[in-house]
Amino acid sequence: MAHRFSLAPRAFGSRHARALAGSLALLALALLLYHSLAGGTLLAPNVYDSYLLQAQNWLAGRAYIDGGENYPWLELAIYEGRYYLSFPPVPSVAALLPAALGLDLGNLWQALWALAALAGVYLCFWRAGHAPRACAFWALFATLSSNLFWLACSGGVWFQAQVLNFAFSVWGLFFWLQKRRGPAFLLLALAVGCRPFTALFALALWLPAALAAVKERRWGRLLTFTAPAAAVALALGWYNFIRFGSPLEFGHSWLPEFVRDGGQFTTENFWQNLWGVLRPVTLTPSLDLSFSTFNGFCLFVASPIFLLWAVDLARAAVKRDLARRDLLAPALALATLAGLCLHRTMGGWQFGARYTVDLIPLALWWYLTRPRRPFGGGALWLAGAGALFNFYGAVYMLSH
């Protein structure tokens, strides 16, 4: 997707500094309020922090989870009599430092990663030349006002992977906007090591740069920005191989439920899961909200950024203002959503449609590579409503 405007950023002066600080403060305050309502859990250990558990075992020289049978509440794969973490391992790399220091602060680390994600979104839009107000809008709209907020409230294994994936993706996008492709693709490779479907996004950014380097016969340049990402891919494949005998198997196929009842991806799951992410939120006769807390509900309600994106796509189509390159991000989003819908579940117990949070960086990419949209009251209203609804949902899930 080529740029259709100059990416010369405005100077990061005091106005940008204040806007970024204010945005970070709002998200931090919301997280602090949530954990206070939850009983002061921001600094509490998280019993679902499998990544810290894996990091602790790494430091002890083990690729498996010692005493895995003692953690029946965790999704651990069982292979040849040993227990393994059943998720891609990059978040455990991030957990090595707290593991080495003997810290069990998964909720705090999760909150810090969410703040890093917000900063990454803000800086992406700054890099694309947006004013502080617009940068703050997008940073908050993609985090505080989206389903990412609920994920940021808990350092459990499932949520850590998604928040880290989001953070790595937007920071990779930031370096891509700067045309610093080495760190960009390294970060995107790390994102893939959190959520494998992000490979579609990473490939979409890498392939044009690689083809341009090949066309110009700049082999050293190609190697420079490809080697770091390739090293991450090889490390992930090697780690999978020494555990499960396959470079593509990170462990989910060896969860007891999939071994017992069939594979994790089947076409039979598609329509049911698609309904899950489109299922409406309704009102009961007593005006109480009614929504599903298993396998999700309407992604446009859970993350209003998708509603704005859909409206802006439709408006651009009507005005015939969509070039072929403008269709790549929505096509990748639909392909990723289709792949997710083939999975056994769409995330199980949850508020919102948490798997679809993985698509938000694609929406941001679309807006970053298009002319800046004017902001009316509708977009601001969506952001405010999204923040209120997701804070309500996070608190609601404490008792459900």
Side-chain angles (χ1 to χ4, degrees), residues 169-231:
S169 294
V170 295
W171 277 98
L173 187 55
F174 170 69
F175 285 108
W176 179 80
L177 289 167
Q178 290 186 305
K179 297 186 178 181
R180 296 175 61 186
R181 295 186 173 91
F185 298 133
L186 172 62
L187 287 163
L188 287 164
L190 292 172
V192 174
C194 300
R195 299 284 289 172
F197 276 118
T198 305
L200 294 176
F201 183 31
L203 185 62
L205 294 182
W206 174 83
L207 191 58
L211 291 176
V214 170
K215 184 178 180 180
E216 298 170 7
R217 299 182 181 276
R218 301 182 68 173
W219 310 113
R221 182 181 180 186
L222 176 63
L223 180 64
T224 298
F225 66 73
T226 301

Side-chain angles (χ1 to χ4, degrees), residues 9 21 24 47 59 73 76-77 89 116 151 155 245-246 256 259 269 302 309 334 358 382:
L24 290 169
V47 296
L59 293 174
W73 60 90
L76 298 180
L151 302 179
S246 169
V259 173
N269 302 326
W309 192 19
L334 290 174
D358 297 346
L382 280 178

Side-chain angles (χ1 to χ4, degrees), residues 38-236:
T41 54
L42 183 58
L43 301 181
N46 193 302
V47 296
Y48 296 104
D49 192 353
S50 302
Y51 288 120
L52 179 65
L53 183 62
Q54 179 170 246
Q56 291 167 341
N57 278 271
W58 282 353
L59 293 174
R62 293 184 294 266
Y64 60 92
I65 305 297
D66 188 41
E69 67 277 2
N70 298 320
Y71 306 98
W73 60 90
L74 300 179
E75 289 190 55
L76 298 180
I78 303 175
Y79 181 71
E80 295 184 349
R82 284 183 168 170
Y83 290 79
Y84 298 90
L85 184 67
S86 64
F87 299 95
V90 163
S92 283
V93 178
L96 279 172
L97 177 60
L101 297 175
L103 300 175
D104 189 353
L105 300 171
N107 293 337
L108 176 62
W109 283 107
Q110 183 79 331
L112 293 175
W113 279 111
L115 292 170
L118 182 150
V121 177
Y122 187 101
L123 291 174
C124 279
F125 282 89
W126 164 73
R127 187 65 185 83
H130 290 250
R133 178 172 175 266
C135 295
F137 167 82
W138 287 112
L140 291 166
F141 199 28
T143 55
L144 179 61
S145 299
S146 81
N147 217 183
L148 181 85
F149 178 75
W150 180 58
L151 302 179
C153 290
S154 170
V157 58
W158 311 276
F159 305 156
Q160 275 196 56
Q162 288 200 258
V163 172
L164 274 168
N165 171 75
F166 190 104
F168 285 136
S169 294
V170 295
W171 277 98
L173 187 55
F174 170 69
F175 285 108
W176 179 80
L177 289 167
Q178 290 186 305
K179 297 186 178 181
R180 296 175 61 186
R181 295 186 173 91
F185 298 133
L186 172 62
L187 287 163
L188 287 164
L190 292 172
V192 174
C194 300
R195 299 284 289 172
F197 276 118
T198 305
L200 294 176
F201 183 31
L203 185 62
L205 294 182
W206 174 83
L207 191 58
L211 291 176
V214 170
K215 184 178 180 180
E216 298 170 7
R217 299 182 181 276
R218 301 182 68 173
W219 310 113
R221 182 181 180 186
L222 176 63
L223 180 64
T224 298
F225 66 73
T226 301
V232 172
L234 288 172
L236 291 171

Side-chain angles (χ1 to χ4, degrees), residues 340-392:
L340 291 169
C341 284
L342 295 175
H343 194 255
R344 177 74 170 276
T345 73
M346 282 300 286
W349 177 84
Q350 62 185 294
F351 175 80
R354 71 178 181 90
Y355 280 179
T356 62
V357 168
D358 297 346
L359 310 181
I360 294 178
L362 288 166
L364 297 174
W365 181 38
W366 191 81
Y367 281 107
L368 284 162
T369 51
R370 297 259 310 164
R372 293 186 282 275
R373 81 180 306 282
F375 287 104
L380 297 175
W381 184 92
L382 280 178
L388 287 173
F389 185 61
N390 279 285
F391 188 84
Y392 155 81

